[in-house]
Amino acid sequence: MIKTRFAPSPTGYLHIGGLRGALYPYLFAKQHKGKFVLRLEDTDQSRYVKGAVENIIQTLQKIGLEWDEGPYLDKTLNIKQKGRFGPYFQSQRLPIYQQYAQKLIDSGQAYYCFCSTDRLEKLRQLQQGQNQPSKYDGCCRRLTEKYKSAKFKIQNSKLLVNDRPAVIRLKIPQSGEVRFNDLIRGEVKIQMEDIDDQVLIKSDGFPTYHLAVVIDDHLMGITHVIRGEEWISSTPKHILLYQFLNWDLPKFAHLPLLLNKDRSKLSKRQGDVAAEDYLKKGYLPEALLNYVALLGWHPSDDRELFRLKELIKNFDLSRVQKAGAIFDSDKLNWFNCFYIKNKPDKELLRLAKKFLPDVPDKLLDKILKVEKSRLSYLAEICDRAGYFLNLADYEPEILIFKKSDGGTARLALEKVMDRLNGLKKWQPEKIKQALAAVVQENRLTNGDVFWPVRVALSGLKQSPPPEEIMAVLEKDESLTRIQSALDKLKK
Ligand code: GLU
Protein backbone atom coordinates (compact mmCIF):
# COMPACT_ATOMS: atom_id res chain seq x y z
CA MET A 1 0.00 0.00 0.00
CA ILE A 2 1.22 3.46 -0.93
CA LYS A 3 1.76 5.82 1.96
CA THR A 4 2.95 9.41 1.71
CA ARG A 5 3.34 12.22 4.15
CA PHE A 6 3.55 15.96 4.55
CA ALA A 7 6.07 16.78 7.24
CA PRO A 8 6.24 20.52 7.85
CA SER A 9 8.39 22.15 10.50
CA PRO A 10 6.42 24.68 12.53
CA THR A 11 8.92 27.42 11.76
CA GLY A 12 6.26 29.60 10.15
CA TYR A 13 2.72 29.65 8.88
CA LEU A 14 1.66 27.39 6.02
CA HIS A 15 2.67 29.11 2.82
CA ILE A 16 1.88 28.43 -0.81
CA GLY A 17 4.94 26.19 -1.16
CA GLY A 18 3.85 24.23 1.90
CA LEU A 19 0.40 23.82 0.46
CA ARG A 20 1.86 22.28 -2.68
CA GLY A 21 4.14 20.15 -0.49
CA ALA A 22 1.00 18.75 1.10
CA LEU A 23 -1.12 18.54 -2.04
CA TYR A 24 1.18 16.48 -4.26
CA PRO A 25 1.77 13.61 -1.80
CA TYR A 26 -1.93 13.75 -0.91
CA LEU A 27 -2.95 13.39 -4.56
CA PHE A 28 -0.45 10.63 -5.16
CA ALA A 29 -1.60 8.62 -2.14
CA LYS A 30 -5.29 9.09 -2.86
CA GLN A 31 -5.07 8.13 -6.51
CA HIS A 32 -3.46 4.88 -5.43
CA LYS A 33 -6.02 4.31 -2.68
CA GLY A 34 -3.17 4.74 -0.24
CA LYS A 35 -2.74 6.64 2.98
CA PHE A 36 -1.59 10.17 3.67
CA VAL A 37 0.07 11.24 6.92
CA LEU A 38 0.64 14.63 8.53
CA ARG A 39 3.67 14.76 10.79
CA LEU A 40 5.07 17.80 12.55
CA GLU A 41 8.83 18.04 12.52
CA ASP A 42 9.35 20.22 15.55
CA THR A 43 12.77 19.17 16.77
CA ASP A 44 14.45 22.51 16.10
CA GLN A 45 13.13 24.30 19.14
CA SER A 46 15.09 27.47 18.36
CA ARG A 47 13.15 27.99 15.13
CA TYR A 48 9.74 27.22 16.58
CA VAL A 49 7.14 29.89 15.78
CA LYS A 50 4.27 30.26 18.18
CA GLY A 51 0.93 29.40 16.62
CA ALA A 52 2.53 27.76 13.58
CA VAL A 53 1.35 24.24 14.46
CA GLU A 54 -2.25 25.36 14.81
CA ASN A 55 -1.99 27.48 11.68
CA ILE A 56 -0.62 24.64 9.55
CA ILE A 57 -3.24 22.15 10.73
CA GLN A 58 -6.15 24.56 10.60
CA THR A 59 -5.28 25.94 7.18
CA LEU A 60 -5.00 22.45 5.70
CA GLN A 61 -8.34 21.54 7.26
CA LYS A 62 -10.01 24.69 5.94
CA ILE A 63 -8.68 24.00 2.47
CA GLY A 64 -10.13 20.53 2.66
CA LEU A 65 -7.14 18.20 2.51
CA GLU A 66 -7.74 15.18 4.69
CA TRP A 67 -5.15 12.92 6.19
CA ASP A 68 -5.45 9.41 7.57
CA GLU A 69 -2.95 9.81 10.37
CA GLY A 70 -1.55 12.70 12.32
CA PRO A 71 -2.58 15.65 14.43
CA TYR A 72 -5.81 17.51 13.74
CA LEU A 73 -7.94 20.18 15.38
CA ASP A 74 -11.25 19.02 16.77
CA LYS A 75 -14.38 21.17 16.86
CA THR A 76 -13.23 22.99 19.97
CA LEU A 77 -9.87 23.65 18.29
CA ASN A 78 -7.94 21.30 20.53
CA ILE A 79 -5.13 19.34 18.96
CA LYS A 80 -5.84 15.60 18.81
CA GLN A 81 -3.91 12.85 17.05
CA LYS A 82 -5.14 9.89 15.04
CA GLY A 83 -3.32 6.85 13.66
CA ARG A 84 -1.48 3.79 14.90
CA PHE A 85 2.05 5.03 14.38
CA GLY A 86 2.04 8.13 16.56
CA PRO A 87 2.85 10.32 18.22
CA TYR A 88 3.04 12.49 15.11
CA PHE A 89 4.97 15.33 16.70
CA GLN A 90 8.67 14.61 16.59
CA SER A 91 9.22 16.37 19.90
CA GLN A 92 7.13 13.62 21.48
CA ARG A 93 9.31 10.86 20.04
CA LEU A 94 12.71 11.66 21.53
CA PRO A 95 13.33 8.26 23.20
CA ILE A 96 12.74 6.55 19.83
CA TYR A 97 15.43 8.61 18.13
CA GLN A 98 17.83 8.20 21.02
CA GLN A 99 17.40 4.44 20.93
CA TYR A 100 18.31 4.25 17.24
CA ALA A 101 21.20 6.65 17.71
CA GLN A 102 22.60 4.31 20.34
CA LYS A 103 22.24 1.45 17.89
CA LEU A 104 24.25 3.34 15.30
CA ILE A 105 26.94 4.08 17.88
CA ASP A 106 27.03 0.41 18.87
CA SER A 107 27.46 -0.69 15.28
CA GLY A 108 30.21 1.89 14.68
CA GLN A 109 28.17 3.80 12.08
CA ALA A 110 27.91 6.88 14.21
CA TYR A 111 30.33 8.38 16.70
CA TYR A 112 30.43 10.75 19.63
CA CYS A 113 31.88 14.16 18.94
CA PHE A 114 33.20 16.27 21.78
CA CYS A 115 34.36 19.26 19.78
CA SER A 116 33.48 22.58 21.36
CA THR A 117 31.40 25.12 19.44
CA ASP A 118 34.47 27.29 19.61
CA ARG A 119 36.58 24.76 17.73
CA LEU A 120 33.86 24.18 15.17
CA GLU A 121 33.51 27.91 14.58
CA LYS A 122 37.26 28.29 14.03
CA LEU A 123 37.17 25.36 11.63
CA ARG A 124 34.32 26.96 9.74
CA GLN A 125 36.16 30.26 9.44
CA LEU A 126 39.31 28.54 8.29
CA GLN A 127 37.43 26.64 5.59
CA GLN A 128 35.63 29.78 4.54
CA GLY A 129 38.94 31.61 4.27
CA GLN A 130 40.22 28.87 1.96
CA ASN A 131 37.01 28.92 -0.05
CA GLN A 132 36.15 25.40 0.99
CA PRO A 133 32.68 24.16 1.84
CA SER A 134 32.20 23.98 5.58
CA LYS A 135 32.39 20.39 6.72
CA TYR A 136 33.34 18.65 9.94
CA ASP A 137 36.98 17.52 9.76
CA GLY A 138 36.35 14.17 11.42
CA CYS A 139 38.52 14.98 14.43
CA CYS A 140 36.52 12.78 16.85
CA ARG A 141 36.23 9.84 14.46
CA ARG A 142 39.46 8.47 15.83
CA LEU A 143 37.76 8.15 19.22
CA THR A 144 35.22 5.70 17.81
CA GLU A 145 36.98 2.63 19.15
CA LYS A 146 37.46 4.12 22.59
CA TYR A 147 33.81 5.01 22.98
CA LYS A 148 32.35 2.16 21.00
CA SER A 149 30.64 0.49 23.91
CA ALA A 150 29.89 3.72 25.78
CA LYS A 151 26.22 4.45 26.35
CA PHE A 152 25.04 8.01 26.36
CA LYS A 153 22.47 9.49 28.68
CA ILE A 154 20.42 12.64 28.67
CA GLN A 155 20.61 14.62 31.88
CA ASN A 156 19.03 18.03 32.35
CA SER A 157 18.65 18.35 28.59
CA LYS A 158 22.31 17.55 27.97
CA LEU A 159 23.68 14.58 26.11
CA LEU A 160 26.49 13.10 28.22
CA VAL A 161 28.97 10.33 27.49
CA ASN A 162 30.96 9.33 30.54
CA ASP A 163 29.78 12.64 31.95
CA ARG A 164 31.23 14.63 29.04
CA PRO A 165 28.89 16.74 26.88
CA ALA A 166 28.79 15.45 23.32
CA VAL A 167 26.82 15.20 20.10
CA ILE A 168 26.39 12.14 17.88
CA ARG A 169 27.57 12.25 14.28
CA LEU A 170 26.93 10.03 11.31
CA LYS A 171 30.08 8.26 10.13
CA ILE A 172 30.07 8.76 6.40
CA PRO A 173 32.23 6.16 4.58
CA GLN A 174 35.48 7.69 3.35
CA SER A 175 35.13 6.64 -0.26
CA GLY A 176 32.51 5.64 -2.76
CA GLU A 177 29.31 7.34 -3.77
CA VAL A 178 25.60 7.33 -3.05
CA ARG A 179 23.22 6.96 -5.98
CA PHE A 180 19.49 7.08 -6.06
CA ASN A 181 16.78 7.40 -8.61
CA ASP A 182 14.58 10.41 -8.01
CA LEU A 183 11.11 9.98 -9.50
CA ILE A 184 11.24 13.53 -10.87
CA ARG A 185 14.90 14.26 -11.38
CA GLY A 186 16.17 10.83 -12.46
CA GLU A 187 19.51 9.49 -11.26
CA VAL A 188 21.28 11.53 -8.59
CA LYS A 189 24.88 10.76 -7.59
CA ILE A 190 26.90 12.17 -4.74
CA GLN A 191 30.46 11.37 -3.73
CA MET A 192 30.94 10.36 -0.11
CA GLU A 193 33.66 12.96 0.27
CA ASP A 194 31.11 15.67 -0.41
CA ILE A 195 28.87 14.53 2.44
CA ASP A 196 29.35 15.96 5.91
CA ASP A 197 29.47 13.82 9.05
CA GLN A 198 26.02 15.03 9.93
CA VAL A 199 25.07 15.60 13.56
CA LEU A 200 22.29 13.12 14.37
CA ILE A 201 21.67 13.94 18.02
CA LYS A 202 22.40 17.45 19.26
CA SER A 203 23.94 18.40 22.58
CA ASP A 204 20.47 18.85 24.10
CA GLY A 205 19.48 15.29 23.23
CA PHE A 206 17.17 16.32 20.40
CA PRO A 207 17.64 14.63 17.04
CA THR A 208 18.39 16.66 13.96
CA TYR A 209 15.91 16.58 11.12
CA HIS A 210 18.06 14.04 9.26
CA LEU A 211 17.86 11.33 11.86
CA ALA A 212 14.26 11.96 12.81
CA VAL A 213 12.96 12.04 9.26
CA VAL A 214 14.49 8.67 8.38
CA ILE A 215 13.32 6.93 11.53
CA ASP A 216 9.81 8.31 11.25
CA ASP A 217 9.41 7.65 7.55
CA HIS A 218 10.49 4.08 8.19
CA LEU A 219 8.43 3.44 11.32
CA MET A 220 5.37 5.09 9.82
CA GLY A 221 5.64 2.94 6.70
CA ILE A 222 6.12 5.77 4.22
CA THR A 223 6.64 4.33 0.73
CA HIS A 224 7.11 7.60 -1.20
CA VAL A 225 8.93 10.62 0.18
CA ILE A 226 7.63 13.56 -1.86
CA ARG A 227 9.13 16.88 -0.75
CA GLY A 228 10.74 20.13 -1.85
CA GLU A 229 13.88 20.25 -3.93
CA GLU A 230 15.80 21.93 -1.11
CA TRP A 231 16.07 18.51 0.55
CA ILE A 232 17.67 16.70 -2.36
CA SER A 233 21.20 17.29 -1.11
CA SER A 234 20.25 15.75 2.23
CA THR A 235 18.85 12.60 0.67
CA PRO A 236 22.24 10.80 0.38
CA LYS A 237 22.68 11.11 4.16
CA HIS A 238 19.22 9.71 4.61
CA ILE A 239 19.96 6.84 2.28
CA LEU A 240 23.07 5.94 4.25
CA LEU A 241 21.01 5.92 7.42
CA TYR A 242 18.48 3.54 5.85
CA GLN A 243 21.35 1.30 4.82
CA PHE A 244 23.05 1.42 8.22
CA LEU A 245 19.78 0.53 9.91
CA ASN A 246 19.08 -2.26 7.39
CA TRP A 247 15.83 -0.72 6.26
CA ASP A 248 14.24 -0.75 2.82
CA LEU A 249 14.48 2.55 0.99
CA PRO A 250 11.34 4.49 0.16
CA LYS A 251 11.07 6.10 -3.28
CA PHE A 252 12.07 9.76 -3.44
CA ALA A 253 10.54 12.60 -5.46
CA HIS A 254 11.83 16.16 -5.10
CA LEU A 255 9.46 18.89 -6.22
CA PRO A 256 10.71 21.89 -8.20
CA LEU A 257 11.31 25.19 -6.45
CA LEU A 258 8.63 27.85 -6.43
CA LEU A 259 9.80 31.15 -7.87
CA ASN A 260 8.63 34.73 -7.99
CA LYS A 261 8.02 36.25 -11.41
CA ASP A 262 11.58 37.58 -11.42
CA ARG A 263 12.73 33.96 -10.87
CA SER A 264 13.96 34.61 -7.33
CA LYS A 265 12.94 32.06 -4.72
CA LEU A 266 9.33 32.59 -3.66
CA SER A 267 9.53 34.55 -0.50
CA LYS A 268 7.42 36.51 1.90
CA ARG A 269 9.18 39.67 0.92
CA GLN A 270 7.41 39.69 -2.43
CA GLY A 271 3.78 39.88 -1.40
CA ASP A 272 1.61 37.37 0.32
CA VAL A 273 2.59 33.78 0.51
CA ALA A 274 0.79 32.62 3.65
CA ALA A 275 -2.09 30.38 2.60
CA GLU A 276 -4.22 31.69 5.44
CA ASP A 277 -3.95 35.26 4.13
CA TYR A 278 -5.45 34.10 0.87
CA LEU A 279 -8.31 32.39 2.65
CA LYS A 280 -8.91 35.51 4.72
CA LYS A 281 -9.13 37.65 1.61
CA GLY A 282 -11.72 35.34 0.17
CA TYR A 283 -9.76 33.06 -2.11
CA LEU A 284 -11.77 29.85 -2.36
CA PRO A 285 -10.12 26.59 -1.31
CA GLU A 286 -10.95 25.00 -4.66
CA ALA A 287 -9.23 27.85 -6.51
CA LEU A 288 -6.13 27.66 -4.34
CA LEU A 289 -5.90 23.89 -4.75
CA ASN A 290 -6.44 24.08 -8.49
CA TYR A 291 -3.84 26.78 -8.98
CA VAL A 292 -1.26 25.26 -6.63
CA ALA A 293 -1.65 21.85 -8.31
CA LEU A 294 -0.44 23.44 -11.54
CA LEU A 295 2.71 24.86 -9.95
CA GLY A 296 5.04 22.26 -11.36
CA TRP A 297 2.58 19.85 -12.91
CA HIS A 298 0.23 20.00 -15.87
CA PRO A 299 -1.71 17.33 -17.71
CA SER A 300 -0.81 16.20 -21.22
CA ASP A 301 -3.56 18.35 -22.76
CA ASP A 302 -4.26 22.04 -22.03
CA ARG A 303 -6.92 21.43 -19.46
CA GLU A 304 -6.49 23.75 -16.48
CA LEU A 305 -9.64 23.50 -14.43
CA PHE A 306 -9.65 20.70 -11.89
CA ARG A 307 -11.53 20.26 -8.67
CA LEU A 308 -9.90 18.17 -5.97
CA LYS A 309 -11.55 14.89 -7.04
CA GLU A 310 -10.45 15.48 -10.61
CA LEU A 311 -6.93 16.27 -9.47
CA ILE A 312 -6.81 12.95 -7.65
CA LYS A 313 -7.75 11.24 -10.89
CA ASN A 314 -5.55 13.20 -13.24
CA PHE A 315 -2.43 14.10 -11.27
CA ASP A 316 0.65 12.32 -12.57
CA LEU A 317 3.83 12.43 -10.51
CA SER A 318 5.90 11.41 -13.52
CA ARG A 319 4.80 14.59 -15.31
CA VAL A 320 6.05 16.91 -12.57
CA GLN A 321 8.64 19.22 -14.08
CA LYS A 322 12.22 19.69 -12.93
CA ALA A 323 12.39 23.40 -13.66
CA GLY A 324 11.26 25.90 -11.05
CA ALA A 325 7.58 26.86 -11.19
CA ILE A 326 6.61 30.52 -11.24
CA PHE A 327 3.97 31.75 -8.85
CA ASP A 328 1.79 34.24 -10.69
CA SER A 329 -0.81 35.98 -8.58
CA ASP A 330 -2.72 37.18 -11.67
CA LYS A 331 -3.21 33.59 -12.71
CA LEU A 332 -4.37 32.70 -9.22
CA ASN A 333 -6.86 35.57 -9.43
CA TRP A 334 -8.13 34.21 -12.72
CA PHE A 335 -8.80 30.81 -11.14
CA ASN A 336 -10.43 32.37 -8.12
CA CYS A 337 -12.63 34.59 -10.28
CA PHE A 338 -13.71 31.49 -12.19
CA TYR A 339 -14.68 29.61 -9.04
CA ILE A 340 -16.44 32.63 -7.53
CA LYS A 341 -18.45 33.11 -10.73
CA ASN A 342 -19.50 29.48 -10.67
CA LYS A 343 -20.38 29.24 -7.02
CA PRO A 344 -24.10 28.67 -6.36
CA ASP A 345 -25.76 31.97 -5.31
CA LYS A 346 -26.68 30.79 -1.85
CA GLU A 347 -23.18 29.64 -0.99
CA LEU A 348 -21.63 32.76 -2.39
CA LEU A 349 -23.96 34.86 -0.26
CA ARG A 350 -22.92 32.93 2.84
CA LEU A 351 -19.25 33.47 2.06
CA ALA A 352 -19.63 37.14 1.15
CA LYS A 353 -21.56 37.87 4.33
CA LYS A 354 -18.32 37.49 6.26
CA PHE A 355 -17.06 40.59 4.48
CA LEU A 356 -20.27 42.63 4.64
CA PRO A 357 -22.16 41.34 7.67
CA ASP A 358 -24.41 44.40 7.93
CA VAL A 359 -25.82 44.40 4.42
CA PRO A 360 -29.25 42.71 4.24
CA ASP A 361 -29.15 39.31 2.52
CA LYS A 362 -31.51 40.31 -0.26
CA LEU A 363 -29.50 43.34 -1.23
CA LEU A 364 -26.15 41.56 -0.94
CA ASP A 365 -27.45 38.76 -3.09
CA LYS A 366 -28.38 41.22 -5.82
CA ILE A 367 -25.06 43.03 -5.58
CA LEU A 368 -23.24 39.73 -5.87
CA LYS A 369 -25.14 38.80 -9.00
CA VAL A 370 -23.90 41.99 -10.64
CA GLU A 371 -20.36 41.93 -9.30
CA LYS A 372 -19.41 38.28 -9.01
CA SER A 373 -17.94 37.90 -12.44
CA ARG A 374 -15.52 40.73 -11.71
CA LEU A 375 -14.22 39.71 -8.29
CA SER A 376 -10.65 38.44 -8.04
CA TYR A 377 -11.30 37.63 -4.40
CA LEU A 378 -14.28 38.06 -2.13
CA ALA A 379 -12.87 40.87 0.03
CA GLU A 380 -13.11 43.07 -3.06
CA ILE A 381 -16.86 43.04 -2.60
CA CYS A 382 -16.43 45.60 0.21
CA ASP A 383 -15.22 48.23 -2.26
CA ARG A 384 -17.38 47.05 -5.09
CA ALA A 385 -20.54 47.20 -3.03
CA GLY A 386 -19.72 50.73 -1.87
CA TYR A 387 -21.74 52.70 -4.41
CA PHE A 388 -24.75 50.42 -4.12
CA LEU A 389 -24.94 51.24 -0.43
CA ASN A 390 -23.90 54.87 -0.59
CA LEU A 391 -23.26 57.12 -3.54
CA ALA A 392 -20.10 59.10 -2.91
CA ASP A 393 -19.79 62.63 -4.25
CA TYR A 394 -18.16 62.91 -7.68
CA GLU A 395 -17.10 65.61 -10.09
CA PRO A 396 -19.80 66.49 -12.66
CA GLU A 397 -17.19 66.39 -15.47
CA ILE A 398 -16.98 62.64 -15.30
CA LEU A 399 -20.62 62.45 -16.37
CA ILE A 400 -19.59 63.58 -19.83
CA PHE A 401 -18.56 60.84 -22.24
CA LYS A 402 -15.16 61.55 -23.80
CA LYS A 403 -16.52 62.04 -27.32
CA SER A 404 -19.48 64.07 -26.11
CA ASP A 405 -20.31 67.34 -24.33
CA GLY A 406 -22.24 68.65 -21.34
CA GLY A 407 -25.35 69.58 -23.30
CA THR A 408 -25.60 66.08 -24.78
CA ALA A 409 -25.12 64.47 -21.38
CA ARG A 410 -27.91 66.60 -19.95
CA LEU A 411 -30.22 65.85 -22.84
CA ALA A 412 -29.53 62.15 -22.53
CA LEU A 413 -30.20 62.10 -18.82
CA GLU A 414 -33.43 64.07 -19.20
CA LYS A 415 -34.72 61.73 -21.86
CA VAL A 416 -33.71 58.72 -19.81
CA MET A 417 -35.57 60.12 -16.80
CA ASP A 418 -38.73 60.49 -18.85
CA ARG A 419 -38.52 57.01 -20.25
CA LEU A 420 -37.69 55.28 -17.03
CA ASN A 421 -40.35 57.14 -15.11
CA GLY A 422 -42.93 55.52 -17.27
CA LEU A 423 -41.36 52.07 -17.18
CA LYS A 424 -43.66 49.52 -15.56
CA LYS A 425 -41.48 46.43 -15.34
CA TRP A 426 -38.20 47.25 -13.60
CA GLN A 427 -36.13 44.53 -15.19
CA PRO A 428 -32.64 44.74 -16.70
CA GLU A 429 -33.76 43.90 -20.27
CA LYS A 430 -36.58 46.43 -20.12
CA ILE A 431 -34.29 49.09 -18.72
CA LYS A 432 -31.73 48.40 -21.39
CA GLN A 433 -34.39 48.64 -24.10
CA ALA A 434 -35.49 51.99 -22.69
CA LEU A 435 -31.94 53.34 -22.84
CA ALA A 436 -31.49 51.99 -26.36
CA ALA A 437 -34.68 53.75 -27.39
CA VAL A 438 -33.32 57.06 -26.07
CA VAL A 439 -30.19 56.52 -28.20
CA GLN A 440 -32.27 55.83 -31.30
CA GLU A 441 -34.94 58.46 -30.95
CA ASN A 442 -32.49 61.25 -30.29
CA ARG A 443 -29.87 60.15 -32.78
CA LEU A 444 -27.29 59.81 -30.04
CA THR A 445 -24.52 57.25 -29.65
CA ASN A 446 -24.49 54.50 -27.02
CA GLY A 447 -21.68 56.33 -25.23
CA ASP A 448 -23.71 59.56 -25.12
CA VAL A 449 -26.41 57.80 -23.13
CA PHE A 450 -25.07 54.75 -21.33
CA TRP A 451 -21.96 56.52 -20.03
CA PRO A 452 -23.62 59.39 -18.12
CA VAL A 453 -26.31 57.07 -16.78
CA ARG A 454 -23.73 54.64 -15.48
CA VAL A 455 -21.72 57.42 -13.83
CA ALA A 456 -24.91 58.93 -12.39
CA LEU A 457 -25.69 55.59 -10.77
CA SER A 458 -22.24 54.67 -9.50
CA GLY A 459 -20.27 57.90 -9.26
CA LEU A 460 -17.48 55.94 -10.96
CA LYS A 461 -15.93 55.92 -14.39
CA GLN A 462 -15.79 52.15 -14.29
CA SER A 463 -18.75 50.10 -13.17
CA PRO A 464 -21.09 47.40 -14.43
CA PRO A 465 -23.70 48.19 -17.13
CA PRO A 466 -26.37 50.68 -15.99
CA GLU A 467 -29.30 48.26 -16.33
CA GLU A 468 -27.60 45.85 -13.92
CA ILE A 469 -26.93 48.56 -11.36
CA MET A 470 -30.49 49.85 -11.65
CA ALA A 471 -31.92 46.41 -11.08
CA VAL A 472 -30.14 46.33 -7.73
CA LEU A 473 -30.89 49.93 -6.73
CA GLU A 474 -34.53 49.64 -7.79
CA LYS A 475 -36.54 52.36 -9.40
CA ASP A 476 -36.77 55.12 -6.79
CA GLU A 477 -33.10 55.18 -5.89
CA SER A 478 -32.06 54.91 -9.55
CA LEU A 479 -34.19 57.89 -10.56
CA THR A 480 -33.03 59.92 -7.56
CA ARG A 481 -29.42 59.37 -8.60
CA ILE A 482 -30.07 60.29 -12.22
CA GLN A 483 -31.91 63.42 -11.08
CA SER A 484 -29.03 64.46 -8.85
CA ALA A 485 -26.64 63.99 -11.79
CA LEU A 486 -28.84 66.31 -13.82
CA ASP A 487 -28.76 68.85 -10.99
CA LYS A 488 -24.98 68.67 -10.96
CA LEU A 489 -24.83 69.33 -14.70
CA LYS A 490 -27.19 72.25 -14.44
CA LYS A 491 -25.16 74.02 -11.77
N1 GLU B 1 10.43 19.30 7.89
C1 GLU B 1 10.84 19.62 6.59
C2 GLU B 1 10.29 21.01 6.23
O1 GLU B 1 9.75 21.67 7.01
C3 GLU B 1 10.30 18.65 5.57
C4 GLU B 1 11.34 17.77 5.06
C5 GLU B 1 10.80 16.49 4.45
O2 GLU B 1 9.68 16.50 3.94
O3 GLU B 1 11.51 15.51 4.50
O4 GLU B 1 10.40 21.47 5.15
Side-chain angles (χ1 to χ4, degrees), residues 111-124:
Y111 61 94
Y112 296 118
C113 172
F114 301 96
C115 290
S116 63
T117 38
D118 210 31
R119 174 174 189 276
L120 294 176
E121 179 52 28
K122 281 199 182 113
L123 179 66
R124 200 186 60 80

Side-chain angles (χ1 to χ4, degrees), residues 5 7-9 41 209 213 227 231:
R5 75 335 183 248
S9 300
E41 303 205 322
Y209 154 72
V213 76
R227 62 182 169 201
W231 301 109

